[in-house]
Amino acid sequence: MINFINVSMVYPNGTKALIDVSLRIAKGEFVFLVGPSGAGKSTLTKLIFREEQPTRGQILFNGKNISRMKPREVPYLRRSVGVIFQDFKLLPNKTVAENVAFALEVIEASRREIEKAVPDALERVGLAKKAGAMPSELSGGEQQRVGMARAIVNNPPLVIADEPTGNLDPDTSGEIMHLLQEINKCGTTVIMATHAKDIVDGMKKRVVALEKGRVVRDEERGGYGYED
Amino acid sequence: MRIKTFGYFSREALISLRRNSWMVLASVGTVAVSLIIVGMSLITVMYANYVATYLESNVEIRVFLKTDVNEDNARALQDQIKSIPGVAKAEFINKDKALEDFRKDLGEQQNMIEALGGKNPLPHLYKVTTISPQDIVKVANKLQALQQTDQIKYGQGVVEKLFAITKWVRMVGLTVMVLLGLAAIFLIATTIRLTVFARRKEIQIMKILGATDWFIRWPFLMEGMILGFIGALIAVLIVDVSYAAFTDYILTELSFNIIGLNRDPRFLVSLGVALLGTGTFIGAIGSGISMRKFLRV
Ligand SMILES: Nc1ncnc2c1ncn2[C@@H]1O[C@H](COP(=O)(O)OP(=O)(O)OP(=O)(O)O)[C@@H](O)[C@H]1O
Ligand SMILES: [Mg+2]
């Protein structure tokens, strides 16, 4: 599904965030990205939904070369990637349901689709009862579940989560991981960048480790591999 | 664009207009003032042109003969006048006809004629028109030189002055209009910039959710266009109301219509449409500038 071919990424200020990264991720996989702070995990995920563009190398998404994609095609790429953030990125002046519906409004879905898909997504993350609440009235874990509902509401084939549990306590993190696994079981590919050793070690999934912009380890059913 | 999407855009545009009310006031005000000036100078230039053309095509030289020239001798001059190069027409008006015309011009104040006690103090005269306005001075000099001529009269310099005024109004109007137009564009651009800034988080989320560039841009473009349109609306109201008041004043107080005042509502409507179009366009340019600089999507 995703194929990085000798990808390098240098930020305009000269920081070499990724160096010659080659990586294949198949449909339906669950992949952890681990590594020290500044290793390039976030940069790698941003390349997939083209928030950033590689300086060298090719990135294929479902066979399509996204490094050579025209700007006007980018929105359609992004519609097939659901993104979950450490800081949730919810709109504070919209209700839970409106935040989730926003993902469909901006892609000009019909009112009927929205009325059907939003309650479904909230149901999947267990927040059906909070549909009318404002984000400020929710706990961190609940806010992150809203973020997840927004990411999956249009059934994207890929979900990217950048430190989704970074701001949450261990119990709440467990709930989030459980939901991500549920999403993955339904056939959605999941890529998650994290520092959470316990989670990675407990899940026995594929682990890709980055250090100073290079892939230094890629194991099926791997562990976190670093002392915190 | 779907109707629903249009609704979304308008709602978003209105929300952010409320948020920056001072900037909104400034930009709407500037658009209004600049378009008021545009409207007023358009009207002025139009009338000045109208009057100038009217006068130009109607300038005639009136040649008053000496009172001792009798009618036969006066009529005999016709061929001589017509033979002056540049003369198009020479119409003889005998003194009785001249008095009659005068009586008509006086209208209700006939007592002035009665005061003459039945005598006619007017001389015979010729009304001479030239082929082109440029010949007037030359022909006038020739006519003055005739020994039967007492005096001649024509609109010396009036036409030239009028054209000078028109040119001046047009130039000043254009300069002020352009400067104010630029100020309006700048203010609208600043307003939109504030909006973009206030909503940068939302814009970022929209991008990641897969909104197209135009979906993101439309509310900002609409916001600018609404600003321009409202400014233009104010300008149209003010121009139309003051124009109506002005023509009312001229027609009722002065009760004459020398410059052919145009009270045709179609004229005001097309002026209004032009101003509204310009205002909306100014708004679109303003937000366009802001989006190019601050909305790299
Ligand atoms: N927008 C940017 N401009 C310049 N340099 C950047 C930018 N974003 C990241 N970097 C640099 O690129 C390198 C990789 O950053 P990245 O955010 O990908 O690391 P990370 O692995 O996600 O780290 P963390 O675990 O702290 O989130 C770092 O050195 C960082 O300083
Ligand atoms: Mg990161």
Side-chain angles (χ1 to χ4, degrees):
Chain A
M1 172 180 226
I2 300 162
N3 196 358
F4 277 62
I5 307 164
N6 305 111
V7 173
S8 293
M9 164 72 200
V10 181
Y11 280 104
N13 66 3
T15 310
K16 290 180 181 144
L18 291 177
I19 302 162
D20 202 27
V21 170
S22 290
L23 187 67
R24 288 180 90 99
I25 294 171
K27 187 164 167 38
E29 270 194 281
F30 194 118
V31 181
F32 284 116
L33 288 177
V34 300
S37 188
K41 305 181 292 294
S42 298
T43 306
L44 194 149
T45 62
K46 284 176 185 168
L47 288 173
I48 299 172
F49 57 95
R50 224 176 99 140
E51 173 128 334
E52 300 290 352
Q53 279 179 265
T55 324
R56 295 177 63 179
Q58 312 293 326
I59 302 167
L60 305 183
F61 183 88
N62 281 334
K64 199 161 169 48
N65 192 334
I66 61 175
S67 34
R68 275 209 227 111
M69 191 173 247
K70 292 192 192 80
R72 64 182 165 77
E73 293 178 285
V74 172
Y76 303 95
L77 165 72
R78 290 180 180 163
R79 291 174 195 192
S80 44
V81 184
V83 188
I84 300 167
F85 302 92
Q86 178 172 2
D87 60 355
F88 322 135
K89 293 210 195 301
L90 302 179
L91 293 169
N93 53 349
K94 288 186 190 288
T95 65
V96 165
E98 284 166 353
N99 265 286
V100 176
F102 193 58
L104 296 174
E105 276 168 8
V106 303
I107 62 173
E108 298 184 70
S110 71
R111 172 87 14 227
R112 278 179 63 190
E113 285 172 81
I114 294 177
E115 277 166 4
K116 191 183 166 310
V118 172
D120 280 0
L122 285 175
E123 187 71 45
R124 281 177 76 184
V125 300
L127 277 183
K129 288 203 187 72
K130 300 277 187 182
M134 301 305 281
S136 57
E137 298 162 356
L138 302 181
S139 72
E142 287 168 332
Q143 290 186 45
Q144 189 57 296
R145 274 144 66 191
V146 179
M148 295 177 78
R150 186 180 62 188
I152 59 169
V153 70
N154 69 333
N155 287 311
L158 171 67
V159 166
I160 290 176
D162 193 353
E163 300 189 44
T165 60
N167 287 354
L168 304 175
D169 63 62
D171 284 353
T172 321
S173 301
E175 290 169 26
I176 299 297
M177 290 317 298
H178 177 72
L179 283 171
L180 275 176
Q181 264 181 295
E182 290 293 312
I183 292 167
N184 179 240
K185 271 188 198 141
C186 298
T188 307
T189 311
V190 176
I191 299 173
M192 171 168 159
T194 186
H195 289 284
K197 180 179 183 349
D198 295 345
I199 292 175
V200 178
D201 288 343
M203 297 246 309
K204 296 275 177 273
K205 297 285 186 187
R206 179 177 171 191
V207 175
V208 174
L210 289 170
E211 270 174 44
K212 297 198 174 106
R214 294 181 195 272
V215 177
V216 294
R217 182 158 56 95
D218 186 350
E219 295 173 328
E220 292 299 327
R221 305 179 61 78
Y224 186 70
Y226 296 95
E227 299 307 316
D228 267 327
Chain B
M1 195 195 310
R2 290 166 188 253
I3 300 284
K4 183 173 83 68
T5 308
F6 184 80
Y8 168 81
F9 291 151
S10 330
R11 208 166 51 239
E12 294 301 304
L14 288 177
I15 287 171
S16 81
L17 285 179
R18 260 210 313 266
R19 194 157 32 204
N20 301 320
S21 45
W22 281 109
M23 281 309 298
V24 166
L25 222 60
S27 29
V28 166
T30 324
V31 174
V33 173
S34 74
L35 290 182
I36 286 169
I37 292 177
V38 174
M40 301 258 180
S41 28
L42 270 178
I43 291 177
T44 316
V45 167
M46 193 190 80
Y47 277 128
N49 274 337
Y50 177 86
V51 174
T53 332
Y54 174 83
L55 288 181
E56 191 171 55
S57 61
N58 280 279
V59 171
E60 56 181 18
I61 306 166
R62 282 180 298 158
V63 184
F64 298 95
L65 302 180
K66 290 178 178 148
T67 38
D68 59 0
V69 179
N70 68 30
E71 181 158 351
D72 288 344
N73 288 339
R75 280 187 187 280
L77 269 174
Q78 180 121 26
D79 288 341
Q80 200 181 335
I81 291 176
K82 273 193 171 161
S83 68
I84 296 171
V87 169
K89 225 171 71 186
E91 184 193 355
F92 176 72
I93 293 167
N94 75 20
K95 55 197 223 175
D96 299 335
K97 174 79 166 48
L99 187 66
E100 193 51 42
D101 289 348
F102 183 48
R103 194 198 300 282
K104 275 185 202 144
D105 284 348
L106 281 177
E108 287 164 12
Q109 284 145 335
Q110 295 294 330
N111 46 355
M112 274 179 71
I113 301 278
E114 280 150 31
L116 294 172
K119 276 196 231 145
N120 183 354
L122 301 175
H124 299 298
L125 72 114
Y126 274 95
K127 286 184 177 172
V128 179
T129 51
T130 58
I131 295 167
S132 86
Q134 285 92 321
D135 294 333
I136 288 176
V137 178
K138 215 171 61 205
V139 171
N141 288 339
K142 289 255 172 63
L143 291 169
Q144 183 70 75
L146 295 173
Q147 62 162 17
Q148 291 90 339
T149 302
D150 180 22
Q151 55 171 323
I152 62 168
K153 279 192 179 148
Y154 65 98
Q156 289 103 324
V158 174
V159 175
E160 286 77 4
K161 269 182 206 143
L162 242 146
F163 275 127
I165 291 173
T166 323
K167 207 172 126 191
W168 190 80
V169 169
R170 214 178 295 165
M171 249 172 48
V172 172
L174 202 73
T175 315
V176 174
M177 182 185 104
V178 167
L179 289 179
L180 281 171
L182 289 178
I185 288 175
F186 172 77
L187 281 167
I188 288 177
T190 311
T191 313
I192 303 299
R193 195 176 87 186
L194 287 179
T195 319
V196 171
F197 192 70
R199 296 179 52 192
R200 61 195 183 287
K201 195 180 157 195
E202 189 177 340
I203 293 170
Q204 193 208 354
I205 293 173
M206 288 170 86
K207 286 190 210 169
I208 288 168
L209 293 175
T212 58
D213 292 356
W214 274 106
F215 188 91
I216 295 172
R217 284 183 190 136
W218 262 111
F220 298 105
L221 198 60
M222 293 238 312
E223 189 181 335
M225 281 163 44
I226 291 173
L227 286 175
F229 185 83
I230 295 174
L233 207 62
I234 295 171
V236 169
L237 287 178
I238 290 178
V239 168
D240 277 7
V241 165
S242 43
Y243 181 73
F246 170 73
T247 51
D248 271 357
Y249 174 78
I250 297 285
L251 292 177
T252 60
E253 297 294 313
L254 304 180
S255 70
F256 78 121
N257 192 356
I258 180 179
I259 54 174
L261 280 174
N262 190 345
R263 306 208 68 196
D264 184 355
R266 272 175 310 182
F267 163 69
L268 286 185
V269 168
S270 39
L271 180 70
V273 169
L275 292 183
L276 288 177
T278 313
T280 313
F281 184 66
I282 285 178
I285 304 238
S287 40
I289 290 174
S290 236
M291 287 191 311
R292 277 184 71 119
K293 279 175 97 170
F294 305 103
L295 201 65
R296 295 198 189 286
V297 280

